[in-house]
mmCIF file of all heavy atoms in Angstrom:
data_model
loop_
_atom_site.group_PDB
_atom_site.id
_atom_site.type_symbol
_atom_site.label_atom_id
_atom_site.label_comp_id
_atom_site.label_asym_id
_atom_site.label_seq_id
_atom_site.Cartn_x
_atom_site.Cartn_y
_atom_site.Cartn_z
ATOM 1 N N ALA A 132 9.702 14.237 24.173
ATOM 2 C CA ALA A 132 9.951 12.850 24.458
ATOM 3 C C ALA A 132 11.432 12.596 24.677
ATOM 4 O O ALA A 132 12.267 13.275 24.055
ATOM 5 C CB ALA A 132 9.416 11.940 23.347
ATOM 6 N N VAL A 133 11.793 11.674 25.582
ATOM 7 C CA VAL A 133 13.149 11.397 25.938
ATOM 8 C C VAL A 133 13.415 9.867 25.894
ATOM 9 O O VAL A 133 12.595 9.117 26.348
ATOM 10 C CB VAL A 133 13.505 11.993 27.353
ATOM 11 C CG1 VAL A 133 14.937 11.621 27.729
ATOM 12 C CG2 VAL A 133 13.293 13.417 27.401
ATOM 13 N N THR A 134 14.603 9.531 25.341
ATOM 14 C CA THR A 134 14.945 8.090 25.387
ATOM 15 C C THR A 134 15.753 7.773 26.610
ATOM 16 O O THR A 134 16.642 8.533 27.037
ATOM 17 C CB THR A 134 15.791 7.669 24.098
ATOM 18 O OG1 THR A 134 16.951 8.479 24.119
ATOM 19 C CG2 THR A 134 14.990 7.870 22.861
ATOM 20 N N VAL A 135 15.392 6.663 27.331
ATOM 21 C CA VAL A 135 16.020 6.263 28.543
ATOM 22 C C VAL A 135 16.418 4.778 28.466
ATOM 23 O O VAL A 135 15.548 3.944 28.161
ATOM 24 C CB VAL A 135 15.206 6.562 29.801
ATOM 25 C CG1 VAL A 135 15.791 5.993 31.041
ATOM 26 C CG2 VAL A 135 14.931 8.047 29.955
ATOM 27 N N ASN A 136 17.686 4.442 28.800
ATOM 28 C CA ASN A 136 18.115 3.027 28.772
ATOM 29 C C ASN A 136 18.929 2.679 29.964
ATOM 30 O O ASN A 136 19.768 3.440 30.409
ATOM 31 C CB ASN A 136 18.992 2.808 27.555
ATOM 32 C CG ASN A 136 18.168 2.922 26.249
ATOM 33 O OD1 ASN A 136 17.590 1.955 25.729
ATOM 34 N ND2 ASN A 136 18.091 4.132 25.673
ATOM 35 N N ILE A 137 18.716 1.498 30.494
ATOM 36 C CA ILE A 137 19.669 0.851 31.434
ATOM 37 C C ILE A 137 19.835 -0.631 30.819
ATOM 38 O O ILE A 137 18.946 -1.484 31.094
ATOM 39 C CB ILE A 137 19.141 0.792 32.874
ATOM 40 C CG1 ILE A 137 18.975 2.206 33.378
ATOM 41 C CG2 ILE A 137 20.173 0.027 33.775
ATOM 42 C CD1 ILE A 137 18.487 2.217 34.871
ATOM 43 N N ASP A 138 20.911 -0.800 30.079
ATOM 44 C CA ASP A 138 21.089 -2.055 29.377
ATOM 45 C C ASP A 138 21.226 -3.226 30.302
ATOM 46 O O ASP A 138 20.773 -4.320 30.101
ATOM 47 C CB ASP A 138 22.273 -1.961 28.440
ATOM 48 C CG ASP A 138 22.098 -0.970 27.345
ATOM 49 O OD1 ASP A 138 20.933 -0.649 27.058
ATOM 50 O OD2 ASP A 138 23.068 -0.487 26.758
ATOM 51 N N SER A 139 21.869 -2.982 31.504
ATOM 52 C CA SER A 139 22.107 -4.071 32.388
ATOM 53 C C SER A 139 20.754 -4.656 33.023
ATOM 54 O O SER A 139 20.720 -5.779 33.420
ATOM 55 C CB SER A 139 23.018 -3.630 33.567
ATOM 56 O OG SER A 139 22.452 -2.578 34.266
ATOM 57 N N GLU A 140 19.754 -3.804 33.067
ATOM 58 C CA GLU A 140 18.470 -4.203 33.550
ATOM 59 C C GLU A 140 17.444 -4.472 32.404
ATOM 60 O O GLU A 140 16.276 -4.767 32.676
ATOM 61 C CB GLU A 140 17.857 -3.062 34.472
ATOM 62 C CG GLU A 140 18.738 -2.808 35.663
ATOM 63 C CD GLU A 140 18.216 -1.619 36.484
ATOM 64 O OE1 GLU A 140 17.040 -1.193 36.211
ATOM 65 O OE2 GLU A 140 18.846 -1.242 37.429
ATOM 66 N N ASN A 141 18.002 -4.400 31.194
ATOM 67 C CA ASN A 141 17.097 -4.631 29.971
ATOM 68 C C ASN A 141 15.924 -3.645 30.048
ATOM 69 O O ASN A 141 14.799 -4.042 29.712
ATOM 70 C CB ASN A 141 16.661 -6.036 29.861
ATOM 71 C CG ASN A 141 16.118 -6.372 28.455
ATOM 72 O OD1 ASN A 141 16.583 -5.764 27.483
ATOM 73 N ND2 ASN A 141 15.195 -7.243 28.381
ATOM 74 N N ARG A 142 16.234 -2.405 30.489
ATOM 75 C CA ARG A 142 15.161 -1.356 30.601
ATOM 76 C C ARG A 142 15.312 -0.321 29.465
ATOM 77 O O ARG A 142 16.341 0.371 29.427
ATOM 78 C CB ARG A 142 15.317 -0.663 32.001
ATOM 79 C CG ARG A 142 14.367 0.416 32.233
ATOM 80 C CD ARG A 142 14.659 1.043 33.589
ATOM 81 N NE ARG A 142 13.987 2.324 33.757
ATOM 82 C CZ ARG A 142 14.223 3.126 34.770
ATOM 83 N NH1 ARG A 142 15.116 2.799 35.690
ATOM 84 N NH2 ARG A 142 13.592 4.274 34.888
ATOM 85 N N HIS A 143 14.295 -0.243 28.670
ATOM 86 C CA HIS A 143 14.359 0.666 27.529
ATOM 87 C C HIS A 143 12.964 1.385 27.476
ATOM 88 O O HIS A 143 11.944 0.745 27.272
ATOM 89 C CB HIS A 143 14.624 -0.072 26.233
ATOM 90 C CG HIS A 143 15.763 -1.042 26.319
ATOM 91 N ND1 HIS A 143 17.016 -0.614 26.436
ATOM 92 C CD2 HIS A 143 15.818 -2.356 26.237
ATOM 93 C CE1 HIS A 143 17.805 -1.707 26.571
ATOM 94 N NE2 HIS A 143 17.062 -2.779 26.444
ATOM 95 N N GLU A 144 12.996 2.720 27.644
ATOM 96 C CA GLU A 144 11.784 3.484 27.801
ATOM 97 C C GLU A 144 11.880 4.822 27.120
ATOM 98 O O GLU A 144 12.972 5.395 26.961
ATOM 99 C CB GLU A 144 11.502 3.647 29.303
ATOM 100 C CG GLU A 144 11.306 2.452 30.157
ATOM 101 C CD GLU A 144 11.272 2.765 31.634
ATOM 102 O OE1 GLU A 144 11.618 3.928 32.059
ATOM 103 O OE2 GLU A 144 10.810 1.878 32.340
ATOM 104 N N ILE A 145 10.701 5.338 26.788
ATOM 105 C CA ILE A 145 10.555 6.652 26.249
ATOM 106 C C ILE A 145 9.692 7.383 27.249
ATOM 107 O O ILE A 145 8.564 6.961 27.594
ATOM 108 C CB ILE A 145 9.955 6.767 24.871
ATOM 109 C CG1 ILE A 145 10.937 6.154 23.879
ATOM 110 C CG2 ILE A 145 9.603 8.214 24.516
ATOM 111 C CD1 ILE A 145 10.404 6.087 22.432
#
Side-chain angles (χ1 to χ4, degrees):
V133 177
T134 57
V135 174
N136 294 270
I137 299 182
D138 293 340
S139 61
E140 301 178 6
N141 198 29
R142 176 182 167 190
H143 312 294
E144 300 171 344
I145 293 176

